[in-house]
């Protein structure tokens, strides 16, 4: 994971997942390599938060955010009409839009001007390198 420090520099972090979250999905992980449920919507954007809220730090090449015309430095103000102030709020609001394939409406600010952008979310796995089979 990454975060910006107070001077705009990137800080690399480790991610920790509580062990108590594993038992309910362990069987699926062993059988399928992932939880056996519909994929969450993925926007192909990477965000960070600062004292003013949530900021787009980068985007996946040819991902939904890039295709919708978003830019690094855009500030995400709301998702589907729900105001967001931090990263957990952003992702909870995105996931509340439905499963992968759902349209996600973002309110952003760029250069002090507000605008609305609708992204066609995807399943993130479609952007991952597939395993080679014999």
């Amino acid at each position: 994971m990454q975060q910006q420090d107070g001077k705009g520099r990137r800080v690399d972090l480790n991610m920790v997942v509580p062990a108590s979250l594993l038992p309910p999905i362990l069987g699926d992980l062993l059988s399928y390599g992932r939880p056996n449920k519909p994929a969450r919507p993925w926007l192909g954007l990477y965000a960070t938060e600062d004292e003013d809220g949530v900021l787009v730090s980068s985007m996946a090449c040819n991902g939904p955010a890039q295709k919708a015309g978003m830019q690094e430095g855009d500030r995400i103000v709301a998702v589907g009409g729900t105001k967001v102030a931090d990263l957990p709020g952003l992702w909870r609001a995105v996931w509340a839009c439905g499963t992968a394939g759902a349209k996600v409406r973002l309110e952003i600010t760029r250069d002090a001007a507000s605008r609305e952008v609708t992204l066609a979310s995807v399943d993130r796995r479609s952007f991952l390198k597939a395993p080679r089979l014999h």
Side-chain angles (χ1 to χ4, degrees):
M1 295 181 60
Q2 295 175 345
Q3 177 178 313
Q4 282 189 345
D5 66 9
K7 297 178 182 171
R9 296 176 299 201
R10 186 185 78 194
V11 177
D12 295 321
L13 306 168
N14 288 322
M15 186 174 89
V16 176
V17 177
S20 62
L21 296 178
L22 183 60
I25 63 168
L26 182 57
D28 285 352
L29 292 177
L30 294 171
S31 297
Y32 307 107
R34 60 178 297 282
N36 189 25
K37 62 183 180 180
R40 290 177 168 167
W42 186 69
L43 306 180
L45 66 81
Y46 305 101
T48 188
E49 65 181 69
D50 61 16
E51 55 279 344
D52 296 323
V54 179
L55 198 62
V56 175
S57 56
S58 65
M59 292 171 288
C61 185
N62 294 317
Q66 190 178 63
K67 287 180 178 178
M70 293 192 69
Q71 297 177 7
E72 291 179 13
D74 285 348
R75 187 163 299 278
I76 301 172
V77 178
V79 177
T82 301
K83 298 285 185 194
V84 295
D86 56 20
L87 288 173
L90 168 66
W91 301 125
R92 287 185 186 110
V94 168
W95 297 337
C97 292
T99 59
K103 300 286 185 198
V104 178
R105 183 173 45 92
L106 301 179
E107 180 185 333
I108 66 169
T109 58
R110 179 186 302 156
D111 301 325
S114 285
R115 62 183 72 192
E116 224 175 73
V117 179
T118 301
L119 288 74
S121 69
V122 297
D123 180 345
R124 182 176 180 266
R125 290 175 296 165
S126 66
F127 278 75
L128 300 176
K129 185 177 178 180
R132 290 179 38 186
L133 302 175
H134 300 308

